[in-house]
Amino acid sequence: MLNVKTTPVKGTNDIGPFDMEIMEFVLDKIRHIYKNNGFLQIQTPILENLDLLTSGDSGDNPKNMFKTIKRGAKLDLSKENLQERDIVEEGLRYDLTVPLSRFYAGNLDSLPKPFKVLQIGESFRAENPQKGRSREFTQCDIDIFGESDNIAEIDLIISAMQVYNEIGVKPITFKINDRMILNQIFSFVGFNNEEISDVLIVVDKIDKIGLNGVYEELIKLNFDKQKVDKLVNALCDIKEKGINECLNYGVEKNTIYNLQEIINCVNKFAPADFKIIFDISIVRGQGYYTGTILEAYYECNTFSRAIGGGGRYDKMLYKFLGYDVPAVGYSIGLVPCLTLIKEYNLLKNYKKNKIALLYNKDVDKSALFNKKKELMIDFDVTVMPEPKNYKDTMLKLKKLGYNSIYKMYDNKLITFDD
Amino acid sequence: MLNVKTTPVKGTNDIGPFDMEIMEFVLDKIRHIYKNNGFLQIQTPILENLDLLTSGDSGDNPKNMFKTIKRGAKLDLSKENLQERDIVEEGLRYDLTVPLSRFYAGNLDSLPKPFKVLQIGESFRAENPQKGRSREFTQCDIDIFGESDNIAEIDLIISAMQVYNEIGVKPITFKINDRMILNQIFSFVGFNNEEISDVLIVVDKIDKIGLNGVYEELIKLNFDKQKVDKLVNALCDIKEKGINECLNYGVEKNTIYNLQEIINCVNKFAPADFKIIFDISIVRGQGYYTGTILEAYYECNTFSRAIGGGGRYDKMLYKFLGYDVPAVGYSIGLVPCLTLIKEYNLLKNYKKNKIALLYNKDVDKSALFNKKKELMIDFDVTVMPEPKNYKDTMLKLKKLGYNSIYKMYDNKLITFDD
């Protein structure tokens, strides 16, 4: 017996049959609903060009990237003054957005315009493992390339609402804002273009540290006190009085009208338990957002939890094409959704009837597989030998959703009590 | 404009919407059929412990492994006489079987026995890219742990047949053999235990180099000419006269009976265009097989192509548990299946009706999304602005399976001719 660990790599998780059944049910709904809404699915590799992964505006992600080492003769460890770049070859993608941009630029001619696309796949980030945050996780993104009208935003949000609704994750509030609103306010209260991105990073922490915390941190960073006062006043005022108050802080009418149109239209299509509201404190970290930004929150009496988000990033394609392409994306937070579903038992009736077909040593194998075929019309059917420890086996089966057994050897169907 | 490549990493592929639709249809069938046959789906991480990946009997796979480099302070490139093991941290899995064994050993207590399991996921091998072989590829495996009876083999084969049948990949011949038959023959003609594994590697090439090639290569490797003569005679004889001829070359009755029982039972459940036969030339490379081995071939008039395989590997769990666990697995060759489906148009009616809903600048957005909702009952619906280049856009849409458009601005449904 070798000494081999049975635990998965630090920061990653195995997904057992019980959790996997929920996950596959949810993924199936996602695929079906997004396809029905006209999104075309594609897949890009997990291994991605390092140049691409480090060329963007993706915040901390490139820092937390997994990189693969060169192989064979290409790996020369004897070189003097060896640097990391001498020995690494490729990276594991940290999101689906950056590879999508590469794909779009490389396949422009064959894709419809606008291109409505669905991606489901693993991404990797070597962050310090925390509760609920894995270094390897499944992402579900929809994106629309080539539509500057807010029809794209409305389309994404309505589609995502339908998913949350059908997987039972509700009530939900979508909170929407616009980077242009934030930029116009920052500029109105006196910050210059160089300061704006640093201010944004601090304001992004508003839901963690509150408006006071934002104030203190901006002061600590030596921003002009008068400007900081003005900014915090503005945010406070807008938070209190609503979106139209933005007009008093240098925000253009068009920018406000755009958000209002999205909000009005989406609310018309919102199922019960869903709504969309303007929230000035929605910022979203990534540098690449250029317009609308939104986050979805599961809201119950006692807490509120982010379960998805997205926004418009009209400048990301520039580095491939030499011109901007309107782009807007939405990412369902699969892991937080699954956690909520399990914690609060949100999903009913996702299980198909399952039966275990028990045989003993003398079974006629053709008869066994005939019986299985017959039962497969109504059940998912597993075959297994008569268990030695009957009680223990029945407990395990019940836990995995089996609601009956059929004994070949005395032709008996037994249904478990609940 | 930066100079960023739009091609994927060497040896990997993007999967566009057209191919992805076929792939998702096939994966959906696979998930549904295997679940219906009682297999429980699980998922293990792509990142895997290096110790585990290098501890096994997995042929060339560990050599072709992708490894990730250590991060941050852990990476010390200034060390003298630096070795690869000093700087690598984890590996990308090269198959689903090795991680499954780890999962099973780590979760023994909560899993039913036998454990019937389905896995679908990416594996990675840094082989020289050839036609149809990607460095990153999706694997679909079913395995049964804890059943030594050939009921496990029958169950796997019947389930896999059902998949091939429903995705249109047929006619198919399953060719089955047993490592014990090969070992008993090798031993009967005079090879000792140390020689057997080398002989096996040569005999594995039989479908590429023929029986003559096997003879020549064994002679070249300095094996005793008399033994080689005997072996080639035996294989030739068995090939000609069938499985019972094995009895004349030292093979035990039980071993033969076991295969015959599988063949008889599976043939009873084989749909039209499916059959299973004994074939002494099936060997399969991996060292871990201990009993039954089988391969599935798509067979048409002009060629035969391997599209899946598997076998029994009763000793793999030993290194975790200190005792053997009966284990048998089958892997559908997803990539060769998809290639065949596309080349020979094997899959009919996998497409849902798709419609493009066209709008112009003055559209009432609520009316637009109302219309979309209405059409979604019968169609997958995408919304798009009235195209500038109408003809080009219609061509792209048709290629992607759109069979009609609806013009919001003059309330007109147009169905494309085929």
Side-chain angles (χ1 to χ4, degrees), chain A residues 1 15 37 43 46 67 69 109 116 136 147 149-150 155 261 320 359 365 372 379 382 396, chain B residues 1 15 36-37 43 46 67 69 109 116 136 147 149-150 155 320 359 365 372 382 396:
Chain A
M1 182 170 168
I15 304 175
N37 277 283
Q43 187 174 296
I46 284 162
K67 296 168 198 155
I69 191 167
D109 290 342
K116 295 179 57 174
E136 177 175 340
E147 175 57 275
D149 197 285
N150 62 24
D155 204 6
E261 198 178 33
F320 296 106
Y359 54 86
K365 291 176 189 177
K372 183 182 169 212
F379 297 93
T382 195
K396 281 183 188 170
Chain B
M1 182 169 166
I15 304 176
N36 196 212
N37 278 281
Q43 188 176 295
I46 285 163
K67 295 168 201 152
I69 192 168
D109 290 341
K116 294 179 56 174
E136 177 176 340
E147 176 57 275
D149 196 285
N150 62 23
D155 204 7
F320 295 106
Y359 54 86
K365 290 175 190 178
K372 184 181 169 213
T382 195
K396 281 183 189 171

Side-chain angles (χ1 to χ4, degrees), chain B residues 373-387:
Chain B
K373 201 172 162 184
E374 185 193 315
L375 290 170
M376 276 172 63
I377 298 165
D378 297 315
F379 297 93
D380 287 345
V381 187
T382 195
V383 293
M384 54 163 61
E386 191 185 2

Side-chain angles (χ1 to χ4, degrees), chain A residues 45-150:
Chain A
I46 284 162
L47 289 166
E48 191 51 88
N49 299 309
L50 273 178
D51 284 350
L52 177 71
L53 292 171
T54 51
S55 71
D57 209 3
S58 301
D60 278 349
N61 288 335
K63 260 198 288 179
N64 293 324
M65 191 163 40
F66 285 92
K67 296 168 198 155
T68 61
I69 191 167
K70 287 181 179 169
R71 291 169 305 276
K74 278 191 187 170
L75 182 66
D76 177 11
L77 296 178
S78 62
K79 197 187 156 194
E80 247 177 83
N81 195 14
L82 196 66
Q83 301 295 310
E84 193 193 85
R85 64 173 176 276
D86 299 323
I87 53 174
V88 295
E89 184 131 57
E90 284 130 12
L92 306 191
R93 66 178 176 210
Y94 46 74
D95 71 13
L96 303 177
T97 311
V98 171
L100 171 62
S101 303
R102 177 187 59 67
F103 174 85
Y104 182 76
N107 294 276
L108 206 54
D109 290 342
S110 66
L111 299 174
K113 189 181 170 241
F115 179 45
K116 295 179 57 174
V117 58
L118 161 64
Q119 295 183 95
I120 298 173
E122 318 307 312
S123 290
F124 299 76
R125 294 178 195 170
E127 292 171 292
N128 273 334
Q130 320 167 0
K131 195 198 162 208
R133 197 172 272 197
S134 176
R135 290 183 166 185
E136 177 175 340
F137 56 100
T138 306
Q139 285 192 297
C140 302
D141 285 11
I142 44 174
D143 293 87
I144 301 178
F145 282 177
E147 175 57 275
S148 53
D149 197 285
N150 62 24

Side-chain angles (χ1 to χ4, degrees), chain A residues 1-2 4-9 12-17 20 23-24 28 31 35-38 40-49 52 65-69 71 75 77 82-84 87-88 90 102-103 105-106 108-109 111-112 114 116 122 124 126 135-136 147 149-151 154-155 158-159 162 261 265 268-269 318-322 352 359 365-366 368-370 372 376 379-385 396 400 402, chain B residues 1-2 4-9 12-17 20 23-24 28 31 35-38 40-49 52 65-69 71 75 77 82-84 87-88 90 102-103 105-106 108-109 111-112 114 116 122 124 126 135-136 147 149-151 154-155 158-159 162 261 265 268-269 318-322 352 359 365-366 368-370 372 376 379-385 396 400 402:
Chain A
M1 182 170 168
L2 292 173
V4 182
K5 279 198 305 182
T6 62
T7 47
V9 160
T12 70
N13 303 98
D14 293 327
I15 304 175
M20 195 70 192
M23 177 154 151
E24 272 302 319
D28 207 49
R31 281 186 288 258
K35 273 188 70 179
N36 196 213
N37 277 283
L40 304 170
Q41 195 170 349
I42 68 151
Q43 187 174 296
T44 65
I46 284 162
L47 289 166
E48 191 51 88
N49 299 309
L52 177 71
M65 191 163 40
F66 285 92
K67 296 168 198 155
T68 61
I69 191 167
R71 291 169 305 276
L75 182 66
L77 296 178
L82 196 66
Q83 301 295 310
E84 193 193 85
I87 53 174
V88 295
E90 284 130 12
R102 177 187 59 67
F103 174 85
L108 206 54
D109 290 342
L111 299 174
K116 295 179 57 174
E122 318 307 312
F124 299 76
R135 290 183 166 185
E136 177 175 340
E147 175 57 275
D149 197 285
N150 62 24
I151 283 177
I154 297 169
D155 204 6
I158 290 180
S159 305
Q162 211 183 326
E261 198 178 33
C265 191
K268 274 186 200 151
F269 290 89
Y318 184 87
K319 64 174 171 255
F320 296 106
L321 299 171
K352 213 189 150 189
Y359 54 86
K365 291 176 189 177
S366 295
L368 176 70
F369 284 98
N370 253 329
K372 183 182 169 212
M376 275 172 63
F379 297 93
D380 287 346
V381 187
T382 195
V383 293
M384 54 164 61
K396 281 183 188 170
L400 289 164
Y402 287 83
Chain B
M1 182 169 166
L2 293 173
V4 183
K5 278 198 308 181
T6 62
T7 47
V9 161
T12 70
N13 303 98
D14 292 326
I15 304 176
M20 195 69 192
M23 177 154 151
E24 272 302 319
D28 207 48
R31 280 187 289 257
K35 272 188 72 177
N36 196 212
N37 278 281
L40 303 170
Q41 196 170 349
I42 68 150
Q43 188 176 295
T44 65
I46 285 163
L47 290 166
E48 192 51 88
N49 299 308
L52 177 71
M65 190 163 40
F66 286 92
K67 295 168 201 152
T68 61
I69 192 168
R71 291 169 304 277
L75 182 67
L77 295 177
L82 196 67
Q83 302 293 311
E84 193 193 83
I87 53 175
V88 294
E90 285 130 13
R102 177 187 59 67
F103 173 85
L108 205 53
D109 290 341
L111 299 174
K116 294 179 56 174
E122 319 307 313
F124 299 77
R135 290 183 166 186
E136 177 176 340
E147 176 57 275
D149 196 285
N150 62 23
I151 283 179
I154 297 169
D155 204 7
I158 290 180
S159 306
Q162 212 184 325
E261 198 178 32
C265 191
K268 275 187 200 150
F269 290 89
Y318 184 86
K319 64 174 170 256
F320 295 106
L321 298 172
K352 212 190 150 189
Y359 54 86
K365 290 175 190 178
S366 295
L368 175 70
F369 284 98
N370 253 329
K372 184 181 169 213
M376 276 172 63
F379 297 93
D380 287 345
V381 187
T382 195
V383 293
M384 54 163 61
K396 281 183 189 171
L400 289 165
Y402 287 84

